[in-house]
Amino acid sequence: MLLSELKAEVFKLPPSDRLALVTAIVESLHDSLVSTPERAAAAQRMRGLLQTEKLAPTDQDVAMLLEQRRMDKYLF
């Protein structure tokens, strides 16, 4: 059955049946969405992109970087 034929048949249905059909279609789409394990794997891959071999900066390092940035911005 072609889509145009299906649409024509749907409009022949009573409103309650059309609503039931819409509900069934939405449920079928919901079931076919990306599953949680796939999303978790994608999130893990993204975390891997952010990893570096460097250690995280200490609070002192960050303070020095901020101070240097302020000096560059306002004094030069």
Side-chain angles (χ1 to χ4, degrees):
M1 180 180 288
L2 296 175
L3 181 60
S4 59
E5 295 171 339
L6 182 60
K7 286 181 181 180
E9 290 298 315
V10 166
F11 283 113
K12 293 178 185 176
L13 295 172
S16 60
D17 289 346
R18 285 188 282 175
L19 185 58
L21 180 59
V22 167
T23 303
I25 291 171
V26 169
E27 287 175 358
S28 73
L29 291 173
H30 180 67
D31 293 341
S32 67
L33 292 177
V34 177
S35 66
T36 303
E38 291 175 20
R39 290 173 61 193
Q44 187 62 34
R45 286 192 305 271
M46 286 189 283
R47 281 190 203 108
L49 293 173
L50 298 173
Q51 289 180 345
T52 66
E53 294 179 7
K54 296 180 181 178
L55 295 175
T58 64
D59 290 344
Q60 290 175 336
D61 294 336
V62 172
M64 286 178 14
L65 290 170
L66 289 173
E67 183 63 27
Q68 183 63 42
R69 171 72 176 118
R70 288 185 194 112
M71 288 175 57
D72 293 344
K73 184 174 181 179
Y74 296 112
L75 295 179
F76 298 109

